[in-house]
Amino acid sequence: MTSFQSSLGDEEGIAEELAESQREISIAEFFEKNKHMLGFDSGARGLVTAVKEAVDNALDATEEAGILPDVYVEITEVGDYYRLVIEDNGPGITKEQLPKVFGKLLYGSRFHKREQNRGQQGIGISAAVLYSQLTSGQPAKITSRPKGQSEAQYFELIIDTDTNEPEISVDETTSWDRPHGTRIELEMEANMRARSQLHDYVKHTAVVNPHARIELREPGLDEPWKFERATDELPAETEEIRPHPHGVELGALIKMLEATESYSISGFLQEEFTRVGKKTADNVIDAFRDQHYGRELAWSPPSSRSTVTGATNDDVAAAIEAAVANKGAAATSAFAEGVVEALAERDRLSRSELEGIVGTVADAVEEDTGRTFGSTVRGNATEAAWRVIAGVDDGDADPANADSTDPADASADGDSPIAADLYALVDEATSTRKDDAAIRAMAEALAFRVANLDGEAYRIARDDLERLVADAATFVADQHDATFGETARENVVEAVWSRARTVPDAPPKVRTVAGDRDVAADLLEAMRETDILAPPTDCLAPITAELVEAGLRKEYDADFYAAATRDAEVHGGDPFIVEAGIAYGGEIPADGSVELLRFANRVPLVYQRGACATTDVIRTIGWRNYGLDQPGGSGMPNGPAVISIHVASTNVPFTSESKDAIANVPAIEDEIELAVREAARELKSYLNKRRSMQQRREKRDVLGRILPEMADKVSEVTGRPRPDIDGALARIMNNVSVEREREDGTVRLVVENHSDVNEQLEITDIVSAEPTDVSAGTVVDMDGEWFVQWTPEVASGDERELTYSVDGDADFEISVGGVETEKLTVNE
Amino acid sequence: MTTNTDARDQLIDLAADFYDQFAAGEIPEMELPTRTKSNIEYDEESGVWTYGDRTSVRSANSVNGARKLLKAAYTIEFLAEQLDEDRSSTLRELYYLSESWDNDEAQFSSQDESNDLVEDLEIVTGATREDFHMRPEESGAKVMGPLRLREQTNRGDRDIHCQLDVGQGGYQIPNNPDTIEFLENDAEFVLCVETGGMRDRLVENGFDEAYDALIVHLGGQPARATRRLTKRFHDELDLPVVVFTDGDPWSYRIYGSVAYGSIKSAHLSKYLATPEARFIGIQPADIVEYDLPSDPLSDSDVNALESELEDPRFQTDYWEEQIELQLEVGKKSEQQSLASRGLDFVTETYLPERLEEMGVA
């Protein structure tokens, strides 16, 4: 029974803190210090929190076992203390599971569990146990009866505050009338000052868990407060998913690295994260290498250089030939030519790439000539060719910088191929407004600094490159009075960096990364900057719009209900779904602002309403558009309405550890707004319809009074009998009128639709004698009464005649359905 | 002239229309011409402006419409009874009287509402307010001139000479001038005067005697009775009619309502308007010619003049020329500004010159 997970440990912050601190201080001390974060800062709140934890766990336990929850909560006064009893009809709990459930307070599961569950909200039942133990000195009394067992088991459990281990002090068999389930009894110092929050919590829990039956007894209630089940449908089971690379933090990543069985980073990524396959892992690793090793700057080989002066391919070939000894002229020259040929195909290359080319050509020449090109020869050849390409054969001499006082003379093309390459890049990266001298100076200053990099491979991390460019810019500004602003510098960095090559070095192994925080940070950065598919959303179990509505319907006697469930979205690495519901009218109090119910993963949030993203969103919506009163056009709307908002996620972001308010995350706020607006649109159309019905009723009332008076008056004036005005009345009120006319043995029901929409009516005439010749209807004989039924569709402005014959003085009783009573006029 | 019985029958017919609509299962309604400036048309035959073809329907299919028709039914009943008893009442009395009706919904909420309803009934029945024995609040204006007439009063018929038998104030026009019978006259023309001050000046100077003029005091926007009597002078006594007002856009509308009919009572134009009436002054040209003391045109004056250029009643060469001239000089003058040339200037110089120009006298 894993549902009694102690979720305290799931939270990185607290888990780490707890792990650190437990070695030095006792858990009692720690708890005392942190109880405000844990929701136990006062006796009033402590009781609510304990109920909340226990009920959340009870619901999770039953749901996981596929049982419709039946939760019983009882609070009684016992002397100076309060006794809290929570019973559920879950699968029960065994002795072996007890330490797991109550002992995990300090350790928790190592990683955040990527699953939507209630516990994620909570501090854990174990905190409640500890609170009770610390304030009352009483052990937690647990009764459990696993399914199918004839006897129940009774435990008393305390947490040893020195060792932080749970200890079972009593373990005996007992009898219990529930066939299966768990009963937890806690005694604690508390008070009922937070009664309204407690009631809210329980009521809102019932709203959001329409499949649960909940009963609450507390000293302030004369009768137990019962919340019945509104559906037999359990919430969909949720899949646990692995974390998404975009949703982890450094601490969690390090722990995962420490715990994984993978050896390589690629394996680790594919094994431990969702949405990471070979290709994505490779992308992450490339980014990781760039982060960790930096890139190698790439230069143009002589063949592709635009300037005619400087080294040529012949120089490269000559350098290679000079570097190769004792391989025979033919092989040597074939080798040199092969390299030069390969170079000719390249725009630019890094030293590692050159090394690769040399290796490939050497292999080919070895095969052709039978000569062996060993690693020393290959190394020498690479070295020699690179010196020509990068122009470093003059050692550390620095012509560019020394002579740069006169940029016109200090042309980059002669002695530094690097400067020439950089000149092209800087020129391309900066706006046309920069004059040529400034660009040349920048390229040279940069070339000088690049040349001073350690090693000949010009390997540099991006942030170092940024520093280097900034430094060069400062130098150019000082010496040449030419400014390279931030944008220009960024463009230069981007131009150089995008031409640089990811190094071929193998990424560090998992063990190395795990042991070095900086390297792990590089990996995390690489994960974040790589595009990765959003996480799957089947790990979420929304309540569904239908049940959101059912929950409201169950607890609020309103005239109108609407609900909406959005599609899943992703924030960070965590998928989330927002649902909203609205109840309006009926018994909901009309004065004051609307009631807002906030839920995260099916758990009501009862504190810190003002700090919650849901509240902020409700305030920004213009409710007047939706027919609710909103003083000043913003803020909480007024009126007889209840708005409920549910955010389900594998990781609901809260404003604080006490988890009372959802943080203002734009992606989540957007979805909240869309969900609420979706439900509000239905409210609007309902209110509009109601308003038009109201007007119709008013009109009906007024005209129903005036027209007969007018008819009386005109009959008085004209001296004629009072005219029949029913037809006129029906027409005036955009009505649907059903009128009976009887002539001899024929009954005609005339249906006139004066409304502006088509109407589908259900007309039943109950006749005391057998009807015949019924037009297009059905007749059912019910014990001497005949039900004549029609379901005519009458178009707007149209009329239909329904006829039948009946003998003698039959009695009739007509009933008309399918049309609002306000619109209907029946004249018999 | 419509008799009591005719008017009563027409009202009852309207009630019967409502009755028939009810009986046919229809929504009672009455159709009225749309009473806006854009819906008046020149009637070639009679030379007056009447309502065009556009109509609006007053239907009981809305709460407001039903209330209006209910009030109409009550008003019809009241008017029919009034005609039966040969009594009369004022529009204001009708408004107050509605308070006594047994139905709150039928009571008028303002006098405008009752006035409008009576006009609606006039239009639908084709009768006039006077036929219904409804009087306006304001009394008709006065006539001074060489005319002997006989008026039916409810104290019997009275023969009155409008110079010899009346005081300085002249003969008071009754609310229903159709009760007047013209006996004999020496009049040459009718002079309608806008302001009381100018009328008094003309009478004091003996203009009516000197020129055999019937001086009709309009008193601002003329009452229906005044317009009706003026039309009868023209039609029955064959007298030319000239209108003498201030020289500003609002006064041209006074002339317009005498000559062409007003928008609100366009349904009665044939009965009230005297299309042959001509404008004597003060013309914008006079302001210039006589160098009259003047005020600059205000913004609302300019707007009113421009609106008159759009008004179909003023779309004649004469008026377009005058209005454009006035807009150009940017001035307006009152009738009494003629006094700047002396008290006798108007009777001895201005009017004789204008009448001669117009070929009237």
Side-chain angles (χ1 to χ4, degrees):
Chain A
M1 193 183 120
T2 55
S3 61
F4 278 98
Q5 69 264 351
S6 154
S7 340
L8 178 63
D10 290 350
E11 269 310 299
E12 312 301 347
I14 302 184
E16 279 173 274
E17 193 180 333
L18 284 171
E20 289 295 316
S21 53
Q22 59 163 310
R23 281 172 222 113
E24 292 124 41
I25 60 170
S26 78
I27 181 162
E29 204 180 323
F30 172 80
F31 188 88
E32 193 57 40
K33 276 185 177 166
N34 293 290
K35 61 187 184 183
H36 60 284
M37 311 198 311
L38 306 176
F40 290 93
D41 46 345
S42 70
R45 183 139 183 226
L47 190 58
V48 176
T49 305
V51 169
K52 186 167 142 108
E53 299 309 338
V55 170
D56 290 351
N57 274 330
L59 291 172
D60 274 343
T62 44
E63 281 169 21
E64 271 181 36
I67 300 165
L68 286 166
D70 195 343
V71 181
Y72 173 83
V73 181
E74 184 185 287
I75 297 167
T76 46
E77 281 175 83
V78 186
D80 294 338
Y81 300 104
Y82 277 88
R83 178 188 294 142
L84 168 63
V85 174
I86 309 277
E87 287 182 22
D88 66 47
N89 58 340
I93 185 168
T94 65
K95 188 182 176 185
E96 290 68 40
Q97 289 170 320
L98 278 178
K100 271 196 205 161
V101 173
F102 296 104
K104 284 165 84 177
L105 171 65
L106 302 180
Y107 298 101
S109 55
R110 270 176 323 203
F111 309 121
H112 184 75
K113 200 175 177 193
R114 298 283 153 169
E115 186 182 14
Q116 176 196 333
N117 59 38
R118 294 186 178 83
Q120 198 217 44
Q121 255 59 224
I123 307 304
I125 185 67
S126 41
V129 170
L130 191 59
Y131 178 73
S132 119
Q133 181 182 324
L134 290 174
T135 55
S136 72
Q138 293 288 320
K141 293 163 186 163
I142 297 151
T143 308
S144 167
R145 183 168 170 188
K147 207 168 184 172
Q149 286 188 15
S150 56
E151 297 280 275
Q153 205 66 22
Y154 174 79
F155 307 101
E156 288 191 4
L157 177 139
I158 55 165
I159 295 173
D160 183 328
T161 52
D162 291 332
T163 64
N164 297 338
E165 289 295 327
E167 281 178 12
I168 295 163
S169 54
V170 176
D171 175 3
E172 57 192 37
T173 306
T174 184
S175 63
W176 193 26
D177 52 2
R178 283 203 190 240
H180 52 86
T182 305
R183 176 184 200 272
I184 300 172
E185 183 181 327
L186 302 171
E187 236 170 81
M188 61 182 72
E189 210 172 78
N191 63 62
M192 290 298 294
R193 255 172 256 143
R195 174 171 280 125
S196 71
Q197 281 88 346
L198 176 70
H199 287 186
D200 279 354
Y201 167 74
V202 175
K203 179 171 185 175
H204 297 176
T205 300
V207 168
V208 85
N209 295 288
H211 61 288
R213 189 185 162 277
I214 303 172
E215 181 172 340
L216 171 69
R217 290 173 195 245
E218 54 101 347
L221 291 173
D222 296 334
E223 293 203 352
W225 206 12
K226 291 180 182 174
F227 300 91
E228 293 302 333
R229 193 166 282 143
T231 174
D232 287 341
E233 198 181 313
L234 275 166
E237 272 185 48
T238 56
E239 296 289 322
E240 185 174 342
I241 60 162
R242 290 168 291 165
H244 190 273
H246 288 173
V248 288
E249 321 234 310
L250 184 55
L253 179 65
I254 291 173
K255 280 195 208 162
M256 292 171 77
L257 286 161
E258 283 166 352
T260 187
E261 287 172 7
S262 297
Y263 177 68
S264 72
I265 292 294
S266 177
F268 166 72
L269 289 170
Q270 294 180 57
E271 202 61 37
E272 304 290 340
F273 290 93
T274 185
R275 299 295 201 213
V276 181
K278 177 79 174 75
K279 195 157 173 262
T280 307
D282 286 348
N283 290 343
V284 172
I285 286 168
D286 277 353
F288 178 41
R289 279 196 292 231
D290 288 349
Q291 284 288 334
H292 184 60
Y293 296 117
R295 285 185 179 176
E296 283 182 6
L297 301 183
W299 311 115
S300 316
S303 52
S304 69
R305 222 163 252 158
S306 52
T307 46
V308 270
T309 52
T312 63
N313 279 346
D314 292 346
D315 295 337
V316 176
I320 293 175
E321 281 179 31
V324 177
N326 304 324
K327 299 298 175 195
T332 304
S333 126
F335 175 56
E337 270 168 31
V339 171
V340 167
E341 246 169 59
L343 287 186
E345 288 166 16
R346 303 270 181 150
D347 275 351
R348 47 184 79 231
L349 78 167
S350 67
R351 195 180 191 283
S352 297
E353 285 175 319
L354 175 63
E355 211 171 300
I357 290 171
V358 167
T360 312
V361 175
D363 288 347
V365 174
E366 274 179 355
E367 194 143 305
D368 288 351
T369 63
R371 297 274 187 174
T372 310
F373 282 75
S375 61
T376 315
V377 173
R378 294 182 188 198
N380 289 345
T382 305
E383 180 76 22
W386 187 244
R387 282 177 162 272
V388 176
I389 293 166
V392 288
D393 45 354
D394 290 341
D396 287 342
D398 180 26
N401 212 31
D403 300 341
S404 58
T405 43
D406 187 355
D409 287 349
S411 62
D413 49 21
D415 30 21
S416 172
I418 292 180
D421 271 0
L422 286 172
Y423 172 79
L425 291 178
V426 173
D427 189 36
E428 166 203 308
T430 52
S431 69
T432 50
R433 293 202 318 275
K434 291 263 187 299
D435 68 37
D436 192 56
I439 291 169
R440 203 165 288 279
M442 182 67 182
E444 282 164 9
L446 207 49
F448 170 65
R449 283 161 181 76
V450 165
N452 281 353
L453 289 172
D454 286 345
E456 291 182 344
Y458 303 98
R459 189 173 278 199
I460 187 169
R462 184 170 173 130
D463 48 350
D464 289 331
L465 178 64
E466 280 164 13
R467 261 194 300 281
L468 211 128
V469 169
D471 187 44
T474 312
F475 173 80
V476 171
D478 283 352
Q479 300 291 317
H480 299 272
D481 199 24
T483 351
F484 276 79
E486 203 169 314
T487 317
R489 294 204 300 270
E490 272 170 27
N491 289 344
V492 170
V493 168
E494 186 52 40
V496 175
W497 182 256
S498 65
R499 277 12 176 257
R501 306 291 197 241
T502 295
V503 301
D505 304 37
K509 293 302 172 196
V510 164
R511 203 161 2 111
T512 319
V513 182
D516 187 330
R517 209 180 164 82
D518 290 342
V519 181
D522 286 342
L523 176 59
L524 186 67
E525 186 53 39
M527 284 159 55
R528 289 203 174 141
E529 73 183 29
T530 307
D531 287 337
I532 300 170
L533 211 62
T537 52
D538 54 2
C539 52
L540 298 178
I543 303 170
T544 71
E546 194 183 320
L547 291 183
V548 167
E549 192 180 316
L552 286 171
R553 206 175 273 281
K554 183 162 81 87
E555 299 307 331
Y556 292 92
D557 188 1
D559 292 335
F560 166 81
Y561 305 87
T565 296
R566 301 280 309 160
D567 287 339
E569 284 287 329
V570 175
H571 153 62
D574 291 296
F576 69 94
I577 286 180
V578 177
E579 300 173 278
I582 296 179
Y584 182 90
E587 298 294 309
I588 300 171
D591 46 341
S593 62
V594 305
E595 188 179 350
L596 174 62
L597 314 184
R598 302 174 290 132
F599 303 99
N601 287 354
R602 290 179 185 251
V603 175
L605 307 178
V606 288
Y607 289 97
Q608 289 193 31
R609 196 186 79 160
C612 194
T614 55
T615 311
D616 292 343
V617 170
I618 296 294
R619 285 188 179 138
T620 56
I621 291 174
W623 283 97
R624 288 172 177 176
N625 286 338
Y626 298 104
L628 287 185
D629 181 32
Q630 192 178 31
S634 71
M636 284 304 272
N638 289 338
V642 175
I643 300 172
S644 86
I645 297 172
H646 179 223
V647 177
S649 174
T650 49
N651 182 17
V652 177
F654 288 100
T655 54
S656 71
E657 302 295 356
S658 64
K659 304 183 174 183
D660 293 311
I662 296 171
N664 295 76
V665 175
I668 294 182
E669 284 184 321
D670 289 351
E671 283 295 305
I672 291 174
E673 179 171 345
L674 290 169
V676 171
R677 284 191 188 275
E678 207 173 310
R681 274 195 292 279
E682 283 183 52
L683 173 66
K684 180 186 184 174
S685 79
Y686 163 77
L687 288 177
N688 283 347
K689 193 170 174 195
R690 200 177 71 154
R691 202 161 295 137
S692 107
M693 277 297 177
Q694 213 162 16
Q695 282 167 351
R696 195 192 297 280
R697 237 190 332 261
E698 266 172 34
K699 181 175 169 183
R700 185 191 173 97
D701 288 351
V702 174
L703 295 185
R705 206 170 55 243
I706 290 180
L707 293 184
E709 290 166 355
M710 183 178 166
D712 285 345
K713 195 48 79 180
V714 297
S715 72
E716 222 174 280
V717 172
T718 54
R720 299 196 226 166
R722 190 179 182 283
D724 174 11
I725 63 168
D726 292 343
L729 273 179
R731 218 171 274 204
I732 284 166
M733 295 186 224
N734 286 339
N735 244 331
V736 175
S737 78
V738 180
E739 200 157 358
R740 183 197 306 283
E741 291 170 8
R742 199 174 170 199
E743 243 181 80
D744 300 322
T746 304
V747 176
R748 288 199 306 147
L749 294 174
V750 183
V751 183
E752 292 178 33
N753 180 4
H754 301 294
S755 76
D756 44 15
V757 292
N758 296 352
E759 298 285 358
Q760 174 85 52
L761 294 106
E762 297 150 27
I763 300 176
T764 307
D765 209 4
I766 304 169
V767 195
S768 63
E770 185 168 7
T772 52
D773 302 324
V774 178
S775 67
T778 58
V779 184
V780 180
D781 180 0
M782 299 274 280
D783 275 331
E785 283 187 321
W786 283 266
F787 286 63
V788 191
Q789 288 184 310
W790 299 268
T791 52
E793 171 156 19
V794 188
S796 170
D798 214 334
E799 87 171 24
R800 285 282 299 278
E801 267 188 27
L802 312 168
T803 57
Y804 59 88
S805 305
V806 69
D807 284 333
D809 43 7
D811 290 327
F812 311 97
E813 194 183 326
I814 195 165
S815 78
V816 181
V819 59
E820 291 101 322
T821 48
E822 277 93 340
K823 293 175 77 175
L824 184 67
T825 309
V826 179
N827 293 310
E828 290 194 61
Chain B
M1 185 183 153
T2 326
T3 65
N4 288 1
T5 328
D6 289 344
R8 189 185 170 283
D9 290 349
Q10 279 154 345
L11 287 167
I12 303 295
D13 282 351
L14 178 58
D17 282 349
F18 292 152
Y19 184 99
D20 293 341
Q21 286 166 343
F22 269 129
E26 285 164 10
I27 305 165
E29 62 174 38
M30 59 183 189
E31 199 175 5
L32 293 162
T34 307
R35 291 151 78 178
T36 60
K37 189 166 82 180
S38 57
N39 191 40
I40 56 171
E41 289 174 356
Y42 183 72
D43 186 285
E44 295 280 353
E45 200 180 318
S46 56
V48 296
W49 292 83
T50 59
Y51 290 123
D53 294 335
R54 280 199 293 128
T55 58
S56 19
V57 171
R58 215 85 0 122
S59 165
N61 70 358
S62 70
V63 169
N64 283 341
R67 285 206 178 101
K68 278 209 168 80
L69 293 190
L70 179 70
K71 288 169 193 188
Y74 271 79
T75 306
I76 287 170
E77 182 186 41
F78 163 75
L79 294 176
E81 277 175 16
Q82 170 170 288
L83 291 169
D84 275 347
E85 295 166 12
D86 196 19
R87 301 185 64 176
S88 66
S89 54
T90 66
L91 289 168
R92 191 152 189 80
E93 281 169 334
L94 170 62
Y95 165 58
Y96 283 120
L97 192 93
S98 73
E99 300 253 327
S100 72
W101 291 344
D102 57 3
N103 194 322
D104 289 353
E105 300 277 7
Q107 292 171 7
F108 295 111
S109 53
S110 70
Q111 201 188 330
D112 282 345
E113 193 184 5
S114 57
N115 290 357
D116 285 349
L117 178 59
V118 171
E119 276 171 17
D120 287 351
L121 293 178
E122 283 183 311
I123 294 171
V124 176
T125 60
T128 67
R129 187 168 74 195
E130 289 76 12
D131 296 335
F132 300 150
H133 291 194
M134 291 306 295
R135 298 195 303 270
E137 212 45 48
E138 76 273 21
S139 53
K142 293 154 229 166
V143 177
M144 180 71 97
L147 165 71
R148 206 158 67 83
L149 51 74
R150 177 173 297 150
E151 178 185 341
Q152 304 165 16
T153 73
N154 46 9
R155 294 185 187 81
D157 291 356
R158 299 289 159 93
D159 288 4
I160 300 167
H161 189 280
C162 297
Q163 271 168 337
L164 307 175
D165 299 333
V166 298
Q168 192 78 354
Y171 167 71
Q172 174 83 41
I173 303 171
N175 280 307
N176 187 354
D178 288 349
T179 59
I180 294 173
E181 184 186 345
F182 301 133
L183 300 177
E184 54 187 316
N185 78 91
D186 296 319
E188 292 290 331
F189 64 99
V190 178
L191 177 65
C192 300
V193 184
E194 175 183 356
T195 64
M198 180 52 73
R199 187 210 86 101
D200 292 349
R201 165 62 45 219
L202 298 182
V203 170
E204 191 183 310
N205 290 5
F207 186 79
D208 54 317
E209 288 169 339
Y211 287 86
D212 286 332
L214 278 174
I215 298 175
V216 176
H217 175 215
L218 297 174
Q221 192 60 247
R224 279 190 187 184
T226 311
R227 285 152 60 200
R228 174 65 186 154
L229 186 62
T230 304
K231 180 172 179 60
R232 288 191 61 204
F233 284 155
H234 176 270
D235 290 0
E236 295 172 32
L237 305 182
D238 202 17
L239 297 176
V241 175
V242 295
V243 180
F244 183 26
T245 69
D246 288 341
D248 66 44
W250 316 101
S251 299
Y252 307 154
R253 293 184 185 182
I254 291 173
Y255 161 76
S257 78
V258 171
Y260 312 130
S262 66
I263 293 174
K264 269 192 75 170
S265 59
H267 57 291
L268 298 170
S269 288
K270 287 179 189 170
Y271 173 79
L272 297 177
T274 312
E276 299 81 1
R278 294 166 69 194
F279 187 68
I280 190 164
I282 305 289
Q283 307 176 96
D286 300 336
I287 302 174
V288 181
E289 190 176 332
Y290 296 100
D291 190 22
L292 297 174
S294 64
D295 288 320
L297 292 177
S298 69
D299 288 349
S300 62
D301 291 333
V302 171
N303 287 342
L305 286 170
E306 279 165 357
S307 157
E308 277 161 13
L309 284 174
E310 303 289 311
D311 190 325
R313 297 174 300 174
F314 285 94
Q315 281 166 358
T316 64
D317 291 346
Y318 172 77
W319 278 111
E320 275 166 20
E321 189 184 318
Q322 293 299 326
I323 291 169
E324 271 158 18
L325 174 64
Q326 184 154 32
L327 284 170
E328 195 180 312
V329 299
K331 290 175 182 170
K332 60 181 181 184
S333 290
E334 293 182 3
Q335 291 181 311
Q336 292 173 59
S337 67
L338 292 166
S340 67
R341 300 289 197 88
L343 292 179
D344 296 332
F345 179 73
V346 61
T347 45
E348 291 184 1
T349 311
Y350 178 75
L351 286 177
E353 280 181 14
R354 284 289 295 137
L355 287 167
E356 194 174 352
E357 261 175 58
M358 295 167 79
V360 174

